[in-house]
């Protein structure tokens, strides 16, 4: 099995970090290809609606390119950004399953407990997180959302206070809001998951691991993306102007 993990920002360090998580979850019989756009070809970090729009285009372009590659398309794709940018477009472009890390994390959180909280990076991204909770049907399960006001790329700085801020908000969600589980709202938090779970005493869900687990399971089940109507192939490929 071959899975394609797409980080829509240009951070090579973050791409390498989420690839480690993906490979640990996927197992020895799965090849994980992790990619991100070249500097200048995508957002440096996804921290605004403008970044999100650019990230969505990056995701669509990378899936389209992978599908057209000479060695054949991947068996499944993971969108490695918590806004799930370009998820619907990606599903139009492939027969295989495509899973976003926000959707996956919320599903896994509700399988682990009745309620969950989201702890994310910047407060300006909370609107998108609320939209996704509504879209995925988890309004009743999501009891709180917190932003640590930490820029995404600060998660790569070992000397920052980002990790402690995130940990304190996870503790608050469990203590004050009664969250059974906590969803981490950024792919760059993937390496915090195990330590946070021990610290707060409830499952802390990383979307990268959740998405890889779900998409690999779908591949093994031979469940792809329905092509009945909305996710049928698009009339034009992204950026090409040509018809399929």
């Amino acid at each position: 099995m071959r899975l394609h993990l797409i980080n829509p920002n240009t951070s090579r360090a973050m791409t390498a970090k989420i690839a480690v998580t993906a490979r640990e979850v996927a197992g020895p019989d799965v090849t994980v290809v992790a990619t991100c756009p070249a500097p200048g070809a995508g957002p440096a970090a996804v921290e605004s609606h403008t970044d999100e729009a650019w990230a969505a285009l990056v995701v669509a372009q990378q899936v389209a390119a992978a599908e057209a590659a000479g060695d054949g398309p991947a068996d499944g794709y993971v969108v490695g950004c918590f806004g799930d940018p370009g998820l619907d477009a990606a599903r139009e472009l492939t027969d295989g399953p495509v899973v976003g890390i926000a959707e996956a994390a919320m599903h896994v959180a509700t399988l682990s407990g009745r309620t969950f909280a989201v702890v994310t990076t910047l407060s300006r991204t909370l609107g998108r997180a609320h939209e996704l909770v509504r879209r995925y049907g988890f309004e009743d399960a999501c009891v709180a959302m917190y932003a640590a006001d930490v820029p995404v790329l600060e998660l790569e700085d070992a000397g920052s206070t980002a990790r402690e801020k995130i940990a304190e908000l996870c503790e608050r969600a469990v203590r004050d809001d009664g969250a059974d589980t906590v969803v981490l709202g950024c792919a760059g938090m993937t390496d915090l998951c195990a330590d946070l779970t021990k610290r707060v005493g409830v499952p802390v869900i990383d979307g990268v691991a959740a998405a890889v687990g779900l998409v690999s399971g779908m591949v093994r089940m031979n469940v792809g993306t329905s092509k009945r109507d909305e996710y049928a192939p698009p009339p034009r490929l992204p950026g090409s102007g040509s018809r399929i």
Side-chain angles (χ1 to χ4, degrees), residues 86-164:
L87 182 61
D88 292 319
R91 286 173 174 165
E92 289 181 332
L93 293 166
T94 179
D95 292 335
V98 184
V99 177
I101 66 171
E103 185 174 19
M106 292 177 196
H107 276 289
V108 170
T110 56
L111 295 173
S112 181
R114 184 175 290 275
T115 61
F116 68 87
V118 175
V119 175
T120 189
T121 51
L122 298 176
S123 60
R124 68 183 298 162
T125 68
L126 288 174
R128 176 60 173 164
H130 280 290
E131 288 177 355
L132 293 179
V133 166
R134 289 191 294 271
R135 169 178 171 166
Y136 300 145
F138 292 124
E139 296 103 317
D140 292 340
C142 184
V143 294
M145 283 195 186
Y146 293 109
D149 285 323
V150 171
V152 169
L153 297 182
E154 192 173 320
L155 295 168
E156 307 307 308
D157 180 2
S160 81
T161 60
R163 294 172 180 243
E164 184 60 26

